Amino acid sequence: MLKIYNTLARQKQGFTPLEPGKVRMYVCGLTVYDFFHIGNARTLTVFDMVYRWLLATGYEVKYVRNITDVDDKIIDRANKNGESIDSLTERMVVAMHADTDRLMMLRPSAEPRATDHIGDMLGLIGDLVDKSKAYPASNGDVYYAVREFAGYGKLSGKSIDDLRVGERVAVDGNKRDPLDFVLWKAAKPHEPHWHSHYGEGRPGWHIECSAMSRAELGETIDIHGGGWDLQFPHHENEIAQSEGASGKPFVNYWMHAAFLNMDNEKMSKSLGNVFTTREILARLDPVQGGETVRFFLLRGHYRSEINYTWDLLLDSRASLLSLYTALRDVPPAAMQIDWEHPYAARFREVMDDDFNTSMAFAVLHELRAEVNRTRSTELSGLLKALGNTLGLLTQDPARFVQGGEATADAAAEIDALILQRQEAKKARNFAESDRIRDELKARGIVLEDGAGGTSWRRA
Ligand code: AMP
Ligand code: ZN
């Protein structure tokens, strides 16, 4: 049985979906004001892995990941660029899809955009006002009254009084309690705004997820995910909004992905160590890069922080290359996974134990050694099929091992040189065959002579 660490319960729990065989999952997505960075990529990739594992083990999954397309950062960036908000967010959504595709993520079942759901947000705010869980203030904002929701603080494990001391929240004359948070912001000049019963304005960030989750998945869902930092206040506020309105549990399993750090430091603009995913991909081989980054991001357990360094990325590439080399040398048989097979059973056991990809990768490497030893096409097929459940080992092995030089022309030229070298060897002209090998080596191409002939790879 699948076990999931539920942040709300602070322990691993057996997973029982609301409806047998079906999963409703919501993950907080990106604010589309810039290309996403490698930290965002970790959280996105972790939940893509969760989605794929649920699918691989037979669940029907509706996976919703929202797009925040109205927010202060977006408004500021569009003004700075001298472009419209629509043009900025449209460009960034296209870029997001290009980059998530390169990291081999599946598209979610739905990607609702905040600006398409303003009506749903106002509906939810209306329900909260009717239940006295929210109130319009004299400045035109609408606030959530945290004191009216008994469960406030249950996810972060804090009481309202602890939070007030800990957070040093500023006193604001419009709020009844300093922890009250905004659901609807009164319009400011030159900002996008919508008409409402409370006056012109735009939604707060937190209400977006409660409203879109309800619209797409219903009042109670199975899994809700996001990065570690979202537990407070974002997810705490989502619970207050959703449960305050419905009177029912909002989420049965809360999952949070730990952070990615840069060279052991927190990533931040002021430290200048924020790298976008596309900057990193541009420095890697075009064929190997996306899957290398994916492998790197999934190598550690999702609840452990991971560290980004260039060396760790190259090390991930080497590890992935060793798996692909086994698949190249022993052609994988096409197959459906037999979960009774000892390797498959162990892989499943660790993955079902709160998605332990770190242990699952260890199983893949043991299986690789076995493939190399036995030359079994069945085991090679199993290696590929197990990797595929995590969105790995899906490419042509020879092409992956050779890397981006495998553009048709370059590959044809290398093949021609390998042939010339074979001819030279046959004629016992070893000076010439060595010269050709050295020439290729100087270009970063390593030749490997094996029983089935000579193959090549990038050094
Ligand atoms: P944002 O666009 O800043 O709201 O972040 C989008 C998602 O990325 C959220 O789920 C964040 O928790 C997550 N995130 C932001 N920074 C990091 C990081 N350094 N490591 C992992 N996840 C992050
Ligand atoms: Zn959210």
Side-chain angles (χ1 to χ4, degrees):
M1 184 194 210
L2 174 62
K3 279 188 280 171
I4 298 182
Y5 183 90
N6 181 357
T7 313
L8 185 63
R10 289 166 187 75
Q11 60 181 5
K12 282 187 211 169
Q13 296 176 323
F15 178 64
T16 312
L18 289 158
E19 240 183 287
K22 295 194 178 165
V23 180
R24 301 168 210 204
M25 174 160 105
Y26 186 99
V27 171
C28 298
L30 296 171
T31 303
V32 285
Y33 71 103
D34 204 344
F35 303 121
F36 65 81
H37 60 62
I38 188 71
N40 301 139
R42 188 198 192 188
T43 295
L44 295 172
T45 306
V46 160
F47 288 101
D48 177 72
M49 173 276 290
V50 169
Y51 178 42
R52 283 176 179 273
W53 183 247
L54 292 169
L55 293 174
T57 50
Y59 288 103
E60 194 184 305
V61 187
K62 181 159 182 193
Y63 170 28
V64 179
R65 188 180 67 206
N66 68 302
I67 295 174
T68 299
D69 62 353
V70 57
D71 148 285
D72 291 340
K73 280 186 275 195
I74 295 174
I75 297 168
D76 290 350
R77 183 63 65 90
N79 286 339
K80 215 172 105 198
N81 291 355
E83 73 181 318
S84 72
I85 288 174
D86 280 355
S87 134
L88 173 66
T89 57
E90 211 48 59
R91 277 195 309 117
M92 288 306 144
V93 169
V94 170
M96 171 183 84
H97 283 143
D99 293 351
T100 55
D101 286 354
R102 287 200 62 195
L103 296 186
M104 310 177 121
M105 290 186 221
L106 298 173
R107 298 284 174 92
S109 325
E111 292 186 283
R113 298 188 191 195
T115 55
D116 290 332
H117 287 268
I118 305 290
D120 290 322
M121 298 183 214
L122 285 167
L124 186 55
I125 294 170
D127 292 351
L128 290 167
V129 172
D130 288 347
K131 296 193 165 184
S132 308
K133 296 241 163 5
Y135 56 94
S138 54
N139 65 353
D141 290 353
V142 181
Y143 295 104
Y144 192 98
V146 294
R147 296 264 172 206
E148 302 303 321
F149 181 66
Y152 198 80
K154 66 182 174 182
L155 182 67
S156 49
K158 293 172 183 168
S159 71
I160 293 182
D161 298 309
D162 292 344
L163 284 167
R164 287 187 64 165
V165 178
E167 298 292 319
R168 295 176 198 278
V169 270
V171 180
D172 172 342
N174 293 296
K175 295 182 182 179
R176 292 185 195 156
D177 186 286
L179 277 175
D180 289 354
F181 58 90
V182 72
L183 300 171
W184 186 255
K185 299 182 195 188
K188 292 201 199 103
H190 314 300
E191 285 190 0
H193 53 85
W194 288 262
H195 179 70
S196 88
H197 178 65
Y198 315 101
E200 295 293 310
R202 63 183 168 101
W205 173 40
H206 311 299
I207 196 70
E208 179 185 317
C209 289
S210 286
M212 294 196 281
S213 183
R214 179 165 90 167
E216 295 280 353
L217 298 167
E219 288 176 326
T220 303
I221 68 171
D222 296 299
I223 298 175
H224 188 122
W228 197 252
D229 58 322
L230 298 188
Q231 287 175 59
F232 185 85
H234 185 54
H235 289 162
E236 199 72 73
N237 291 352
E238 284 187 31
I239 293 174
Q241 294 163 159
S242 297
E243 298 190 356
S246 73
K248 296 177 193 155
F250 172 38
V251 172
N252 285 339
Y253 302 86
W254 280 97
M255 291 184 67
H256 292 96
F259 257 42
L260 172 145
N261 298 319
M262 281 287 175
D263 284 318
N264 292 312
E265 285 191 278
K266 198 175 147 57
M267 227 182 3
S268 80
K269 291 249 155 65
S270 58
L271 290 170
N273 61 358
V274 179
F275 290 104
T276 66
T277 305
R278 49 177 57 197
E279 277 172 313
I280 290 169
L281 288 171
R283 292 173 64 193
L284 288 162
D285 178 274
V287 170
Q288 300 168 341
E291 195 169 342
T292 295
V293 173
R294 181 178 181 87
F295 188 91
F296 162 74
L297 293 172
L298 293 179
R299 209 174 185 186
H301 188 272
Y302 79 91
R303 282 190 291 115
S304 305
E305 288 191 357
I306 56 171
N307 196 29
Y308 172 90
T309 66
W310 186 246
D311 282 351
L312 285 171
L313 207 54
L314 294 186
D315 190 56
S316 289
R317 186 179 69 160
S319 185
L320 193 52
L321 264 172
S322 74
L323 297 173
Y324 266 117
T325 304
L327 296 182
R328 182 198 63 186
D329 295 346
V330 183
M335 68 165 60
Q336 289 259 306
I337 300 170
D338 165 15
W339 291 111
E340 304 287 314
H341 188 285
Y343 280 101
R346 278 184 51 218
F347 187 89
R348 182 161 186 167
E349 189 187 332
V350 296
M351 282 301 295
D352 274 349
D353 183 12
D354 195 30
F355 311 97
N356 195 336
T357 49
S358 173
M359 295 288 282
F361 282 20
V363 175
L364 293 181
H365 276 292
E366 278 177 46
L367 186 50
R368 165 188 56 85
E370 196 72 359
V371 169
N372 288 334
R373 197 175 62 76
T374 61
R375 320 297 287 180
S376 154
T377 58
E378 290 291 313
L379 288 180
S380 179
L382 183 61
L383 173 60
K384 180 176 164 60
L386 291 176
N388 289 177
T389 65
L390 306 181
L392 296 166
L393 306 180
T394 55
Q395 303 189 65
D396 174 59
R399 183 172 146 81
F400 186 91
V401 172
Q402 289 169 355
E405 285 296 304
T407 53
D409 285 355
E413 192 202 332
I414 293 165
D415 288 346
L417 284 168
I418 289 174
L419 271 176
Q420 276 180 35
R421 177 167 167 268
Q422 259 164 21
E423 295 301 316
K425 270 179 150 178
K426 253 194 233 157
R428 307 190 65 76
N429 183 353
F430 298 115
E432 174 65 2
S433 71
D434 286 351
R435 189 197 63 74
I436 294 172
R437 194 195 54 214
D438 292 345
E439 181 192 323
L440 284 168
K441 192 173 166 198
R443 288 168 54 180
I445 308 292
V446 180
L447 299 185
E448 287 173 334
D449 295 316
T454 303
S455 57
W456 62 269
R457 63 175 171 82
R458 305 261 323 147

